[in-house]
Amino acid sequence: MKVLYIHQYFQIPRDSGATRSYWFAKKLVDNGIKVTMLTSTNKHFPEAGHVDIEGIDVLYVKNAYSQYFSKARKVYSFVKFVVQAIWNGKKQKDVDLMYATSTPLTVGFIALVLHKLKGWPYIFEVRDLWPEFPIQIGAIRNGLAIKMLRKLERAIYKNAVHVVALSPGMEDGVLKCGTPKEKVTMIPNMSKPDLFFPREKKDEDYEKYGIDKTRFNVVHAGAMGVANGLGYIIEAADILQNKMHDDSIHFVFAGGGATQPMLEKMASERGLKNVRFLGYFNTQGISDVMNLCDMSIVSFKNLPILYTNSPNKLFDSLSAGLPIIVNSAGWTKGIAEDEHCGIYVDPEHPEELAQKLIDIRDKKDVLKVMGENSRRLSLEKFDKSILSEKFFQVVKAHLPS
């Protein structure tokens, strides 16, 4: 059996980024299924060609992408990958099933075209509800483009043998497009409790990462894109330092993205000493940084489409045994409150974030219970082994007998 797995931004654990496709592909390989991963070149693998990564046949096609690209250059990157992926994909032999994971929606178009050309069935994985996501954040405004993309979205769902959604909200979005319920499975992002876990906090690690051990440290790990609305955190830091005159709470940013220069400028202009930007890290580095912090914040702009998100940073935080702060009024709010592993804050009122942090920083018993609940949830519900098995059963059901 062979699966052609299409993911424009495939990452492995040593990289800085989401590794869901790596773990899913490994699950297939471990069960005797051949996997060719069709993806773009990156800084670790800058040359086009085949690379064997732990039994996964990774086919890199030459294509650059960065969160810092202009809108036009991003579109060019998407289109270039479509052309190259179709050209390389149709040359594959003995493909039994394709698994195409967004974003962007154009990855689904690749699977749709190869399905029409070669007759290969495909499963489509929805990581974000495109095109609704870029429409609501204002990245796509042209009426004709919106109409065409929505038509493409429905065609991709209709022609897929199955659709995997990463959250209940995404599942609802797929169903609203007329997809039969029995054709959709919800598999959220995964926790990695063997890679992110609570452990001794060493002085040398605090020094290595430049984190002040005497402060109450709140970490934002991962992307700093427009959708994250991270100016909200800078505003809260400003309120804490310059209005409440409280220097006990520090915000730690580990990662990067398009809005980082703007955020650094905001912090500099306001003279904030309670904000640190640490840069990018691989999985081990992010795990170390999280372990040194007291809470993790998962921030998004206040847009309905973002209520459906399934952010990696949330599940890594649960694995790390950190109490979480969420400001999105979707299913992540339910996780924080219903599972008693964190708190919800209003994304429109940074003063609420500042006050709630002051209220909770000294409640060691409360924080301890929240952290324990986070870790329990990561092990019992979102562990990568549990979700990889669920993924495998979906794929297995659509492979030839």
Side-chain angles (χ1 to χ4, degrees):
M1 294 295 175
K2 179 177 176 179
V3 171
L4 177 62
Y5 202 132
I6 309 168
H7 184 185
Q8 188 165 345
Y9 313 120
F10 176 66
Q11 301 282 336
I12 60 177
R14 80 173 192 190
D15 301 331
S16 57
T19 56
R20 174 186 178 94
S21 290
Y22 164 82
W23 297 109
F24 279 2
K26 277 287 293 174
K27 181 68 176 181
L28 296 177
V29 169
D30 291 346
N31 280 274
I33 297 171
K34 295 179 181 179
V35 177
T36 293
M37 179 70 64
L38 189 52
T39 189
S40 290
T41 50
N42 56 48
K43 66 179 181 180
H44 297 297
F45 296 96
E47 300 301 324
H50 290 266
V51 178
D52 183 278
I53 299 178
E54 299 179 53
I56 307 167
D57 172 32
V58 184
L59 174 54
Y60 290 97
V61 299
K62 195 75 173 179
N63 188 38
Y65 180 83
S66 169
Q67 292 185 54
Y68 297 98
F69 281 179
S70 67
K71 186 187 300 184
R73 197 172 177 196
K74 286 179 180 178
V75 170
Y76 173 76
S77 176
F78 296 158
V79 173
K80 184 180 178 184
F81 183 70
V82 166
V83 174
Q84 293 177 311
I86 292 173
W87 176 257
N88 284 274
K90 69 181 183 179
K91 292 189 288 185
Q92 295 298 307
K93 299 184 183 300
D94 303 320
V95 173
D96 296 290
L97 180 70
M98 295 180 288
Y99 192 89
T101 179
S102 66
T103 58
L105 186 63
T106 43
V107 173
F109 178 71
I110 296 166
L112 181 60
V113 172
L114 290 174
H115 169 65
K116 298 296 185 183
L117 290 175
K118 307 290 288 190
W120 301 329
Y122 69 91
I123 296 172
F124 183 59
E125 181 177 83
V126 181
R127 291 184 178 228
D128 282 310
L129 285 172
W130 276 57
E132 198 58 35
F133 169 70
I135 290 169
Q136 287 198 24
I137 67 170
I140 300 175
R141 294 186 173 90
N142 182 276
L144 179 59
I146 290 172
K147 184 177 180 179
M148 291 175 62
L149 286 170
R150 283 181 169 152
K151 186 176 180 179
L152 174 61
E153 177 190 27
R154 289 191 295 271
I156 290 169
Y157 298 157
K158 181 180 179 180
N159 285 274
V161 293
H162 204 78
V163 179
V164 172
L166 266 68
S167 75
M170 291 184 204
E171 182 178 17
D172 289 343
V174 174
L175 295 175
K176 286 176 182 176
C177 286
T179 312
K181 189 169 181 61
E182 63 272 14
K183 191 176 168 177
V184 185
T185 300
M186 198 280 285
I187 307 178
N189 260 322
M190 58 182 63
S191 61
K192 300 175 279 290
D194 56 335
L195 299 175
F196 293 83
F197 54 93
R199 52 198 183 272
E200 180 187 358
K201 303 183 182 196
K202 299 179 180 180
D203 287 345
E204 54 263 38
D205 287 336
Y206 281 107
E207 293 175 10
K208 176 181 177 180
Y209 293 104
I211 298 174
D212 188 341
K213 64 179 290 187
T214 67
R215 306 305 186 202
F216 186 88
N217 292 294
V218 180
V219 61
H220 166 87
M224 299 183 197
V226 173
N228 296 106
L230 298 177
Y232 168 82
I233 297 178
I234 303 298
E235 295 286 354
D238 189 10
I239 291 167
L240 282 164
Q241 177 180 296
N242 298 322
K243 293 184 180 178
M244 295 180 169
H245 304 291
D246 188 301
D247 66 352
S248 67
I249 298 166
H250 281 200
F251 293 97
V252 175
F253 289 88
T259 66
Q260 183 175 344
M262 177 271 290
L263 297 171
E264 291 182 333
K265 183 179 180 182
M266 284 179 66
S268 176
E269 289 177 345
R270 300 175 190 213
L272 300 182
K273 302 183 186 305
N274 56 355
V275 176
R276 287 193 60 82
F277 295 90
L278 304 184
Y280 281 103
F281 297 101
N282 61 13
T283 298
Q284 182 59 57
I286 291 290
S287 176
D288 288 344
V289 169
M290 282 189 164
N291 184 60
L292 299 174
C293 292
D294 301 284
M295 294 190 82
S296 176
I297 183 165
V298 181
S299 175
F300 287 94
K301 294 183 73 171
N302 190 23
L303 294 172
I305 191 63
L306 297 177
Y307 299 168
T308 69
N309 61 61
S310 184
N312 282 291
K313 61 180 69 68
L314 171 71
F315 300 96
D316 291 341
S317 301
L318 295 177
S319 300
L322 285 175
I324 58 174
I325 306 164
V326 299
N327 68 350
S328 183
W331 79 302
T332 58
K333 178 176 184 285
I335 291 174
E337 295 181 341
D338 297 344
E339 301 290 346
H340 306 290
C341 61
I343 59 174
Y344 168 78
V345 293
D346 190 322
E348 300 292 338
H349 298 285
E351 64 274 7
E352 180 180 314
L353 171 59
Q355 187 59 55
K356 284 193 174 182
L357 284 172
I358 287 175
D359 292 343
I360 203 170
R361 70 184 169 194
D362 296 321
K363 296 180 179 178
K364 304 299 183 185
D365 290 344
V366 173
L367 291 168
K368 182 174 183 292
V369 170
M370 285 182 173
E372 290 172 348
N373 287 338
S374 288
R375 182 67 181 174
R376 172 188 54 77
L377 198 57
S378 77
L379 292 166
E380 296 179 359
K381 190 170 183 178
F382 298 120
D383 186 276
K384 67 179 187 296
S385 62
I386 296 172
L387 299 184
S388 292
E389 177 61 28
K390 189 173 182 179
F391 155 83
F392 175 66
Q393 292 303 323
V394 170
V395 170
K396 184 180 177 182
H398 294 92
L399 285 169
S401 300

mmCIF file of all heavy atoms in Angstrom, residues 94-115:
data_model
loop_
_atom_site.group_PDB
_atom_site.id
_atom_site.type_symbol
_atom_site.label_atom_id
_atom_site.label_comp_id
_atom_site.label_asym_id
_atom_site.label_seq_id
_atom_site.Cartn_x
_atom_site.Cartn_y
_atom_site.Cartn_z
ATOM 1 N N ASP A 94 1.850 3.578 -8.307
ATOM 2 C CA ASP A 94 1.234 2.673 -7.329
ATOM 3 C C ASP A 94 0.658 3.403 -6.120
ATOM 4 O O ASP A 94 0.733 2.909 -4.985
ATOM 5 C CB ASP A 94 2.251 1.629 -6.855
ATOM 6 C CG ASP A 94 2.841 0.836 -8.008
ATOM 7 O OD1 ASP A 94 2.076 0.489 -8.928
ATOM 8 O OD2 ASP A 94 4.059 0.576 -7.991
ATOM 9 N N VAL A 95 0.087 4.573 -6.352
ATOM 10 C CA VAL A 95 -0.546 5.321 -5.264
ATOM 11 C C VAL A 95 -1.944 4.756 -5.007
ATOM 12 O O VAL A 95 -2.768 4.647 -5.920
ATOM 13 C CB VAL A 95 -0.633 6.827 -5.600
ATOM 14 C CG1 VAL A 95 -1.445 7.576 -4.545
ATOM 15 C CG2 VAL A 95 0.764 7.423 -5.727
ATOM 16 N N ASP A 96 -2.228 4.397 -3.766
ATOM 17 C CA ASP A 96 -3.544 3.865 -3.400
ATOM 18 C C ASP A 96 -4.454 4.941 -2.817
ATOM 19 O O ASP A 96 -5.678 4.853 -2.913
ATOM 20 C CB ASP A 96 -3.380 2.736 -2.378
ATOM 21 C CG ASP A 96 -2.633 1.547 -2.961
ATOM 22 O OD1 ASP A 96 -3.203 0.864 -3.827
ATOM 23 O OD2 ASP A 96 -1.480 1.322 -2.556
ATOM 24 N N LEU A 97 -3.849 5.962 -2.189
ATOM 25 C CA LEU A 97 -4.629 7.003 -1.524
ATOM 26 C C LEU A 97 -3.761 8.244 -1.355
ATOM 27 O O LEU A 97 -2.550 8.145 -1.122
ATOM 28 C CB LEU A 97 -5.097 6.511 -0.149
ATOM 29 C CG LEU A 97 -5.932 7.456 0.706
ATOM 30 C CD1 LEU A 97 -7.321 7.656 0.105
ATOM 31 C CD2 LEU A 97 -6.054 6.935 2.145
ATOM 32 N N MET A 98 -4.371 9.399 -1.479
ATOM 33 C CA MET A 98 -3.687 10.655 -1.172
ATOM 34 C C MET A 98 -4.251 11.226 0.136
ATOM 35 O O MET A 98 -5.435 11.064 0.429
ATOM 36 C CB MET A 98 -3.892 11.682 -2.296
ATOM 37 C CG MET A 98 -3.271 11.298 -3.620
ATOM 38 S SD MET A 98 -3.556 12.574 -4.883
ATOM 39 C CE MET A 98 -5.308 12.348 -5.206
ATOM 40 N N TYR A 99 -3.373 11.883 0.892
ATOM 41 C CA TYR A 99 -3.791 12.590 2.102
ATOM 42 C C TYR A 99 -3.261 14.009 1.964
ATOM 43 O O TYR A 99 -2.048 14.233 1.993
ATOM 44 C CB TYR A 99 -3.237 11.920 3.363
ATOM 45 C CG TYR A 99 -3.860 12.421 4.640
ATOM 46 C CD1 TYR A 99 -5.014 11.825 5.150
ATOM 47 C CD2 TYR A 99 -3.312 13.481 5.344
ATOM 48 C CE1 TYR A 99 -5.603 12.269 6.325
ATOM 49 C CE2 TYR A 99 -3.892 13.948 6.520
ATOM 50 C CZ TYR A 99 -5.038 13.328 7.007
ATOM 51 O OH TYR A 99 -5.625 13.784 8.180
ATOM 52 N N ALA A 100 -4.158 14.967 1.768
ATOM 53 C CA ALA A 100 -3.762 16.360 1.523
ATOM 54 C C ALA A 100 -4.168 17.215 2.703
ATOM 55 O O ALA A 100 -5.334 17.201 3.121
ATOM 56 C CB ALA A 100 -4.423 16.877 0.244
ATOM 57 N N THR A 101 -3.202 17.938 3.266
ATOM 58 C CA THR A 101 -3.492 18.750 4.440
ATOM 59 C C THR A 101 -3.264 20.227 4.152
ATOM 60 O O THR A 101 -2.223 20.628 3.644
ATOM 61 C CB THR A 101 -2.659 18.281 5.655
ATOM 62 O OG1 THR A 101 -2.948 19.095 6.788
ATOM 63 C CG2 THR A 101 -1.165 18.314 5.382
ATOM 64 N N SER A 102 -4.260 21.033 4.460
ATOM 65 C CA SER A 102 -4.128 22.479 4.322
ATOM 66 C C SER A 102 -3.393 23.004 5.568
ATOM 67 O O SER A 102 -3.224 22.252 6.530
ATOM 68 C CB SER A 102 -5.508 23.123 4.222
ATOM 69 O OG SER A 102 -6.232 22.978 5.432
ATOM 70 N N THR A 103 -2.977 24.234 5.658
ATOM 71 C CA THR A 103 -3.233 25.289 4.706
ATOM 72 C C THR A 103 -2.093 25.359 3.690
ATOM 73 O O THR A 103 -1.026 24.835 3.970
ATOM 74 C CB THR A 103 -3.373 26.639 5.432
ATOM 75 O OG1 THR A 103 -2.165 26.885 6.170
ATOM 76 C CG2 THR A 103 -4.509 26.622 6.424
ATOM 77 N N PRO A 104 -2.319 26.055 2.568
ATOM 78 C CA PRO A 104 -3.512 26.766 2.132
ATOM 79 C C PRO A 104 -4.492 25.824 1.414
ATOM 80 O O PRO A 104 -4.202 24.638 1.220
ATOM 81 C CB PRO A 104 -2.959 27.808 1.170
ATOM 82 C CG PRO A 104 -1.790 27.112 0.550
ATOM 83 C CD PRO A 104 -1.181 26.292 1.661
ATOM 84 N N LEU A 105 -5.635 26.387 0.995
ATOM 85 C CA LEU A 105 -6.655 25.612 0.295
ATOM 86 C C LEU A 105 -6.126 25.038 -1.018
ATOM 87 O O LEU A 105 -6.608 24.012 -1.497
ATOM 88 C CB LEU A 105 -7.875 26.498 0.022
ATOM 89 C CG LEU A 105 -9.121 25.839 -0.589
ATOM 90 C CD1 LEU A 105 -9.698 24.796 0.359
ATOM 91 C CD2 LEU A 105 -10.170 26.891 -0.916
ATOM 92 N N THR A 106 -5.111 25.671 -1.568
ATOM 93 C CA THR A 106 -4.542 25.207 -2.830
ATOM 94 C C THR A 106 -3.968 23.800 -2.732
ATOM 95 O O THR A 106 -3.829 23.106 -3.742
ATOM 96 C CB THR A 106 -3.452 26.184 -3.306
ATOM 97 O OG1 THR A 106 -2.626 26.559 -2.185
ATOM 98 C CG2 THR A 106 -4.067 27.440 -3.908
ATOM 99 N N VAL A 107 -3.627 23.339 -1.521
ATOM 100 C CA VAL A 107 -3.169 21.961 -1.355
ATOM 101 C C VAL A 107 -4.308 20.996 -1.698
ATOM 102 O O VAL A 107 -4.093 19.940 -2.296
ATOM 103 C CB VAL A 107 -2.648 21.728 0.078
ATOM 104 C CG1 VAL A 107 -2.324 20.257 0.300
ATOM 105 C CG2 VAL A 107 -1.404 22.575 0.327
ATOM 106 N N GLY A 108 -5.530 21.377 -1.325
ATOM 107 C CA GLY A 108 -6.679 20.575 -1.699
ATOM 108 C C GLY A 108 -6.890 20.554 -3.202
ATOM 109 O O GLY A 108 -7.317 19.533 -3.775
ATOM 110 N N PHE A 109 -6.569 21.666 -3.851
ATOM 111 C CA PHE A 109 -6.686 21.737 -5.312
ATOM 112 C C PHE A 109 -5.722 20.757 -5.969
ATOM 113 O O PHE A 109 -6.059 20.122 -6.974
ATOM 114 C CB PHE A 109 -6.415 23.167 -5.785
ATOM 115 C CG PHE A 109 -6.456 23.339 -7.270
ATOM 116 C CD1 PHE A 109 -7.660 23.272 -7.967
ATOM 117 C CD2 PHE A 109 -5.293 23.578 -7.992
ATOM 118 C CE1 PHE A 109 -7.706 23.433 -9.342
ATOM 119 C CE2 PHE A 109 -5.322 23.738 -9.373
ATOM 120 C CZ PHE A 109 -6.536 23.669 -10.047
ATOM 121 N N ILE A 110 -4.526 20.610 -5.404
ATOM 122 C CA ILE A 110 -3.547 19.650 -5.928
ATOM 123 C C ILE A 110 -4.140 18.244 -5.902
ATOM 124 O O ILE A 110 -4.091 17.503 -6.891
ATOM 125 C CB ILE A 110 -2.243 19.696 -5.101
ATOM 126 C CG1 ILE A 110 -1.566 21.055 -5.225
ATOM 127 C CG2 ILE A 110 -1.286 18.575 -5.538
ATOM 128 C CD1 ILE A 110 -0.480 21.302 -4.192
ATOM 129 N N ALA A 111 -4.712 17.874 -4.751
ATOM 130 C CA ALA A 111 -5.315 16.546 -4.628
ATOM 131 C C ALA A 111 -6.485 16.374 -5.589
ATOM 132 O O ALA A 111 -6.652 15.306 -6.199
ATOM 133 C CB ALA A 111 -5.776 16.323 -3.186
ATOM 134 N N LEU A 112 -7.272 17.430 -5.750
ATOM 135 C CA LEU A 112 -8.424 17.377 -6.652
ATOM 136 C C LEU A 112 -7.979 17.145 -8.097
ATOM 137 O O LEU A 112 -8.549 16.310 -8.814
ATOM 138 C CB LEU A 112 -9.222 18.678 -6.538
ATOM 139 C CG LEU A 112 -10.487 18.807 -7.397
ATOM 140 C CD1 LEU A 112 -11.489 17.717 -7.061
ATOM 141 C CD2 LEU A 112 -11.108 20.194 -7.208
ATOM 142 N N VAL A 113 -6.949 17.867 -8.532
ATOM 143 C CA VAL A 113 -6.445 17.710 -9.905
ATOM 144 C C VAL A 113 -5.862 16.322 -10.114
ATOM 145 O O VAL A 113 -6.127 15.661 -11.127
ATOM 146 C CB VAL A 113 -5.394 18.802 -10.222
ATOM 147 C CG1 VAL A 113 -4.723 18.517 -11.570
ATOM 148 C CG2 VAL A 113 -6.044 20.181 -10.246
ATOM 149 N N LEU A 114 -5.044 15.860 -9.159
ATOM 150 C CA LEU A 114 -4.461 14.518 -9.294
ATOM 151 C C LEU A 114 -5.545 13.444 -9.274
ATOM 152 O O LEU A 114 -5.427 12.412 -9.953
ATOM 153 C CB LEU A 114 -3.442 14.283 -8.179
ATOM 154 C CG LEU A 114 -2.142 15.087 -8.277
ATOM 155 C CD1 LEU A 114 -1.271 14.880 -7.047
ATOM 156 C CD2 LEU A 114 -1.361 14.737 -9.547
ATOM 157 N N HIS A 115 -6.597 13.673 -8.518
ATOM 158 C CA HIS A 115 -7.737 12.753 -8.513
ATOM 159 C C HIS A 115 -8.368 12.676 -9.900
ATOM 160 O O HIS A 115 -8.681 11.581 -10.393
ATOM 161 C CB HIS A 115 -8.759 13.227 -7.478
ATOM 162 C CG HIS A 115 -10.073 12.523 -7.556
ATOM 163 N ND1 HIS A 115 -10.222 11.173 -7.300
ATOM 164 C CD2 HIS A 115 -11.316 12.983 -7.877
ATOM 165 C CE1 HIS A 115 -11.493 10.835 -7.452
ATOM 166 N NE2 HIS A 115 -12.183 11.917 -7.809
#
